[in-house]
Amino acid sequence: MSAAKVSPEFLKALEEFDALVGEALKPQLREMLRLRCSHINGCSYCIRLHSEQLAALGARPELIGALARPVKLMRDDLVSEGDAAALRFAEVLTDYPRGLEIEARDVAGEFFTQKQLGAIVETVAVINAWNRVTRGME
């Protein structure tokens, strides 16, 4: 079976779009969200890429490894309460077929402005698109 071939124009547009999203977030949190979603989606290329980018931003190896598991199972000392809320919101947006668990958004809203919540949604939406494109071309 052959892999799908996505047009270079689509990839370029997705790259340009990706560069615009999530600017209201700290770079490390944005990469944490990207890595957590990539783990949920099983995208090995993106897992490697965002693990390396997190390391370059100074993230501890324990944190990078912990993002392979649901945030509820992470040690409390690895992320702040706000980052944990953002990661949980990202998990819900990525992997919950029952629809949005409003409480996950509300808890994240205790730590982030509406603009930052929007940036979380943008970041999750784009990394989920990247994961699906990458997995489709494997």
Side-chain angles (χ1 to χ4, degrees), residues 4-93:
K5 180 154 175 63
V6 176
S7 75
E9 296 82 12
F10 177 82
L11 294 174
K12 184 177 186 326
L14 191 54
E15 285 175 1
E16 290 170 357
F17 185 52
D18 191 23
L20 299 174
V21 302
E23 290 183 347
L25 303 174
K26 293 177 185 174
Q28 184 165 324
L29 177 57
R30 192 168 53 226
E31 288 305 315
M32 289 167 53
L33 295 168
R34 289 171 170 158
L35 179 56
R36 179 69 196 115
C37 293
S38 295
H39 274 295
I40 292 169
N41 291 321
C43 182
S44 58
Y45 173 81
C46 292
I47 290 168
R48 185 179 70 253
L49 174 69
H50 297 295
S51 294
E52 291 170 357
Q53 290 179 341
L54 260 176
L57 290 170
R60 296 177 9 209
E62 298 88 0
L63 171 61
I64 294 169
L67 290 166
R69 298 182 301 278
V71 69
K72 289 181 177 181
L73 300 178
M74 292 177 84
R75 290 189 344 234
D76 291 340
D77 65 325
L78 290 178
V79 294
S80 70
E81 218 177 323
D83 288 351
L87 288 163
R88 177 69 184 136
F89 187 34
E91 290 172 346
V92 168
L93 289 171

Side-chain angles (χ1 to χ4, degrees), residues 31 94-95 115 136:
E31 288 305 315
T94 298
D95 194 43
K115 182 177 181 177

Side-chain angles (χ1 to χ4, degrees), residues 1-6 133-138:
M1 177 182 252
S2 62
K5 180 154 175 63
V6 176
V133 168
T134 304
R135 298 258 350 249
M137 294 188 324
E138 289 178 335

